[in-house]
Amino acid sequence: MAVPAEPVLIQLCDLAGRARGTGFLADDLGTLVTTHEAVDGLSRLVLRAPGGAGEIAETAAITPLPGCDLALVATSGLSAHPLVVATERPPGITVLVWFDRWLPANVTGLADVTYTATDRFHTIEGALELDLPPQITDQLRLNARATGAPVLDAATGAVVGVLAGAVHTPYRASGFALPLRASAGSPPEAQRAPLERLLARNDATVPGWGRDLNLAGALQLTGATVATATAALTAPGRRHPRPDVERELRDFGESDACVLALVGDPGTGRSTELAAWAARRAAGSTPRPTVWLRGADLRADDSGLRDALARTLAEAGRVAGSLPPPP
């Protein structure tokens, strides 16, 4: 089984060079996700990316979340693409587990597990049970190389969970992963907040597609429709400033109103003003999903705008190379 998109994994070591775990970047700030067991008891970490690049993470850069056996590490010099975090998945899906190579496994169910940290025990609800060969499952127990590695949806490559080596149940010693989405609701508030902020940044900065469509993916997809359709209308020298119209459009965008009518005689610049507003709305410091549709995009057999919207977004996805063509 092939990995949908080969992710970059970061190796964690102590200052003596001993392996402590694996991690992956999850946002545009360089936040690394790993297990708490990988950082437990350490004040400094050595992070190594493929190709030899690395850095040392000091205590202030490490956010331990022992209540869900996770840790976040702020990095600054690691060149790796962040991975999109999947939406919640039900048991029964096929995943890929990293253990020196990518191994297929099935999620057979959810379990409440016990994490044994150096200071105390933690009960974690809703861990993913992984169906792996017994010899692999046994080797994952307290494995300092594998813990913290992302567990991927085999169909999309999105991160379903984080492989854990120090969690267990009374009937099973290893073979569990920690779901990031579900874990956000189980630890104490002080530990839940950093994870929720990370998930929000992941949604806003790492594009997800298909069933993992998030804000970043939606902005990229809808932005392609605006850029393609309005390029000619917003070309330099084409548009003349109209402060009154700009103000009305800005006020509409900041209001709770659902419909705006922009009227005027042909040639007065209605399409140009709308194109400029759409371009501003789709860009800037706080972009919002914006789709450019025309009357010509509707077809006689459409049941509503949703059909035209689906065609426009599918075409934008093909142009961007992000979505396969429809069958």
Side-chain angles (χ1 to χ4, degrees):
M1 184 176 296
V3 181
E6 188 68 32
V8 176
L9 304 182
I10 309 299
Q11 300 301 312
L12 287 72
C13 302
D14 62 17
L15 294 181
R18 293 179 292 246
R20 287 297 301 249
T22 299
F24 61 95
L25 300 188
D27 65 12
D28 62 332
L29 301 178
T31 305
L32 180 141
V33 179
T34 188
T35 54
H36 180 265
E37 59 210 60
V39 306
D40 194 11
L42 296 180
S43 59
R44 305 174 79 191
L45 282 170
V46 178
L47 309 176
R48 293 175 178 167
E55 63 180 80
I56 295 179
E58 304 287 348
T59 301
I62 304 171
T63 302
L65 307 173
C68 50
D69 189 16
L70 294 172
L72 310 179
V73 183
T75 73
S76 59
L78 300 179
S79 57
H81 291 293
L83 305 183
V84 64
V85 177
T87 56
E88 290 190 46
R89 296 288 200 269
I93 66 167
T94 301
V95 296
L96 297 173
V97 177
W98 176 255
F99 189 55
D100 293 332
R101 58 190 175 93
W102 291 104
L103 304 171
N106 292 321
V107 177
T108 57
L110 304 178
D112 294 345
V113 298
T114 299
Y115 165 50
T116 307
T118 55
D119 60 342
R120 53 165 290 191
F121 297 97
H122 300 271
T123 298
I124 302 173
E125 301 176 355
L128 307 176
E129 290 193 39
L130 304 175
D131 180 19
L132 287 161
Q135 65 272 24
I136 297 296
T137 301
D138 292 341
Q139 292 178 59
L140 290 176
R141 176 66 181 164
L142 301 177
N143 190 291
R145 291 180 294 114
T147 183
V151 175
L152 309 179
D153 184 319
T156 69
V159 178
V160 174
V162 178
L163 190 64
V167 302
H168 63 276
T169 66
Y171 59 87
R172 188 171 182 179
S174 62
F176 297 97
L178 308 166
L180 292 172
R181 298 285 180 189
S183 292
S186 59
E189 176 62 30
Q191 297 181 34
R192 183 165 66 245
L195 184 55
E196 289 179 338
R197 289 194 295 269
L198 174 68
L199 293 174
R201 289 198 302 270
N202 186 270
D203 288 339
T205 62
V206 187
W209 307 101
R211 67 186 302 182
D212 298 310
L213 183 68
N214 56 17
L215 177 59
L219 286 171
Q220 195 172 96
L221 195 58
T222 58
T225 72
V226 173
T228 300
T230 65
L233 293 173
T234 57
R238 162 121 189 187
R239 177 175 173 267
H240 301 287
R242 295 180 174 87
D244 292 344
V245 177
E246 284 189 32
R247 184 177 61 256
E248 292 292 338
L249 289 169
R250 183 181 64 251
D251 291 345
F252 168 69
E254 296 174 353
S255 72
D256 295 329
C258 299
V259 178
L260 171 73
L262 182 60
V263 298
D265 294 329
T268 57
R270 292 169 302 169
S271 297
T272 302
E273 286 303 317
L274 282 174
W277 178 63
R280 291 193 301 271
R281 192 177 189 276
S285 57
T286 56
R288 287 169 286 180
T290 305
V291 180
W292 183 268
L293 284 178
R294 304 169 301 152
D297 293 318
L298 294 171
R299 296 178 182 175
D301 57 349
D302 284 346
S303 59
L305 286 176
R306 177 178 295 182
D307 295 338
L309 180 63
R311 285 194 301 272
T312 300
L313 293 179
E315 179 59 28
R318 288 196 295 272
V319 170
S322 302
L323 296 176

